[in-house]
Structure formats: structure tokens, C-alpha cells
Amino acid sequence: MEGEEGQPREDVDTGVQAAPPFWLRIVLRAALLALVGLAAEAFLTQDWPEFRHKLRETQPTTGYAIETTATKAAPAVNRLVPEVSPAATAPITADMIASPPQSVTDQPAALQLTTKPAGATFAVYPGTIADEAAPASAPLRIGTVPGTAEDLRGGNYTIFFHKDGWPDSRTEVQLQAGEVRPVEYAFFHGEVTITSVPNGAEILYGTVSLGFTPLTVALPAGNQVLTARLKNYPDRTQNVAVNENATPTIEFQMRARRHLAKAKPTPTPSLIGKVGDSLKHLFGGSPTPAPHRKR
């Protein structure tokens, strides 16, 4: 039954609802299609690869097939990756070490040796040696003072000193690894001032020349014998007591050599003189008396 204006109306007797209008049906269909499209898009972008992979695994193999290994795609994860500019990349440098650094115990040590007076020779032996004389074995280092004994290890050492005209001496030192230790050794000595008249005499201590007067020299302590030598003068010798608490002065008087007067020989008479003496003797003249030699 229709109304007066041609619109459907509800049948009061049957209770059946009339159909919705046409425009409402179009809107409902469009909304449904939009929802289906969104669901399909989500399925295709997210679940379709996994679904296709499972579908391939469940399909039966027929005929000849090539076995392939499917790799499951990792889910896309959006991460923030900082942009790195090529200019910001710093060069990488590495320090090349030729050899590892030596430990303290491996570092070489050295001895810087001086003596008073200078000019002595030294010999370095390992360990502590109680003897006053140097051993017969070869020393580790030898040289002339002032000098340096290098490339030594840490430990105890005995140093022997020798100087011509002086008694041999020794000393002991303890050296640490990597240490450069100065060692100054003084012989047991004293100083003597020597002069001469005239100056310029050479002073000898035994066979060792100490220099020319005037001079002051260091000598071993005790009673020493010195000799002064000057050209055209006889050698002079003196004894001097040397000690550490005083500086004595000695003087050499260089005296000239005495020249002894030699007797003149009697001249031999000539032939004319002999003839004259003979004539005087013949004619009574007294001959010339022979000269007397002085005693």
C-alpha cells in the first residue's frame, strides 16, 4: 500500500518495515567498499608475503622442481639513522711502535769516573772484590780517567785505579738500573810547591816527570824523593814529607859545575935554542936553567 505522495509506508496490519531509500543504500555500499579496500591493503602489505610463503610450502611437488631456499623478509622497522657528512669523517692514525719499551730493570746504567789527581787508568769488575790487587780475569770495562763505563746492569761493582808512581787503589760502588752515577776517587795524597834557582828545572818523581819549576803538584802521602834536572847543572835531589794537612815548599839550588885549572905543559926547546945553549956552554956562559913546574 502506498501513501498519498507515492512513498512506502509501514503496513500497520502486517508489521513489515518498508525498504530504505536509494541514496542511503549507495552511501552504505560506498562505506563498505572503503572498509574492504583498507583491509585488503593492510593484508597485501603486511601479511601477504608470509601467506604466499606458507602457500608455496604447502603445495605438492609435481614433476621436476628446483629446490630453492626462501628467505623470510625481516619486518620493516623504522629507525632514525643520523646523517653523516663525508667531510665529518676524521682520518684514522695509528702509532707504530718499533719495539716495546724496556722495563726499568733492563735499562743500562753507567759510571762517570774521575780521580784526584787525574790521569789514572781504571778497570771495572763485577761484584765485590776484597783483594787489594786486581784479579787476573778480564774486567768488564777499562779506560782512562776522566772517563765513562757504559752499558752496565744494576748491581755491585769494584773499580781498581792505577797511576804510575802511586800505589794502586780500589773502591766499591752499588749501581741501580738506568742510573748514571758519578764516582770521584781521591788518592791518599798531599800537595807540594816546588821552586828552583834558576827557574825552569824539570822535577822528577822517580822516572815520572812532574813538570818544570815553579809548580805545585800532588804526591802520595809519606816521605818522597824528588830530583831536579837542569841543563849545564848537576842534578839535585831532596826528600820531602807529604801529608794531607799541609802544603810544604821546597827549593832546589842549582849550582854551576866547577872548572879545574889545568897545568900548562913545558914547551919543547927549539933547534936554535939548543944550538945557542951549546955555544954558551962552550964559551963559559951558564946555561938557561930549566923552568920549575908549580906543584
Side-chain angles (χ1 to χ4, degrees):
M1 182 178 293
E2 297 178 354
E4 294 178 356
E5 297 180 0
Q7 295 295 332
R9 63 181 180 86
E10 183 180 357
D11 192 351
V12 178
D13 297 336
T14 61
V16 178
Q17 186 177 3
F22 175 77
W23 62 269
L24 182 60
R25 291 196 301 270
I26 295 300
V27 171
L28 292 176
R29 289 178 182 177
L32 179 60
L33 290 175
L35 293 175
V36 172
L38 293 175
E41 183 181 2
F43 174 77
L44 292 176
T45 56
Q46 296 183 6
D47 297 336
W48 172 250
E50 184 177 0
F51 174 77
R52 185 175 58 179
H53 175 68
K54 291 183 178 180
L55 182 62
R56 288 180 179 179
E57 291 180 350
T58 56
Q59 289 180 356
T61 58
T62 57
Y64 296 96
I66 299 176
E67 183 178 359
T68 59
T69 302
T71 304
K72 181 179 179 180
V77 180
N78 295 328
R79 296 181 179 177
L80 295 177
V81 180
E83 295 183 0
V84 180
S85 175
T89 303
I92 300 175
T93 59
D95 294 332
M96 304 301 293
I97 301 176
S99 60
Q102 293 181 339
S103 62
V104 177
T105 57
D106 294 336
Q107 293 180 359
L111 295 170
Q112 293 181 342
L113 304 172
T114 56
T115 60
K116 188 176 181 181
T121 60
F122 68 87
V124 180
Y125 290 86
T128 301
I129 301 174
D131 297 338
E132 294 296 330
S137 59
L140 294 177
R141 301 290 184 273
I142 59 174
T144 303
V145 178
T148 303
E150 299 177 337
D151 297 331
L152 299 175
R153 295 182 176 273
N156 295 325
Y157 293 91
T158 303
I159 309 171
F160 289 87
F161 296 99
H162 172 77
K163 183 174 176 62
D164 292 339
W166 295 70
D168 292 342
S169 300
R170 56 180 291 282
T171 186
E172 300 171 5
V173 296
Q174 186 176 9
L175 190 62
Q176 302 295 330
E179 178 186 11
V180 179
R181 180 172 180 179
V183 177
E184 181 178 357
Y185 183 81
F187 288 90
F188 185 65
H189 70 285
E191 292 185 346
V192 178
T193 300
I194 308 170
T195 61
S196 66
V197 179
N199 288 332
E202 183 182 12
I203 305 301
L204 301 175
Y205 174 60
T207 58
V208 178
S209 176
L210 301 179
F212 297 86
T213 58
L215 77 164
T216 300
V217 294
L219 294 174
N223 293 324
Q224 309 299 339
V225 179
L226 300 178
T227 301
R229 180 173 296 170
L230 186 62
K231 187 178 181 181
N232 297 328
Y233 290 86
D235 292 349
R236 298 295 179 183
T237 301
Q238 288 194 46
N239 295 332
V240 57
V242 182
N243 60 73
E244 294 183 318
N245 300 323
T247 303
T249 300
I250 60 174
E251 182 181 72
F252 287 92
Q253 292 289 339
M254 310 302 293
R255 298 177 182 177
R257 302 177 187 272
R258 292 182 177 180
H259 297 280
L260 299 177
K262 295 182 180 180
K264 294 182 179 181
T266 303
T268 304
S270 62
L271 179 60
I272 297 176
K274 291 180 179 180
V275 173
D277 291 339
S278 299
L279 293 175
K280 290 178 179 180
H281 180 70
L282 291 174
F283 294 102
S286 59
T288 304
H292 296 282
R293 294 183 179 179
K294 295 181 180 181
R295 294 183 179 179

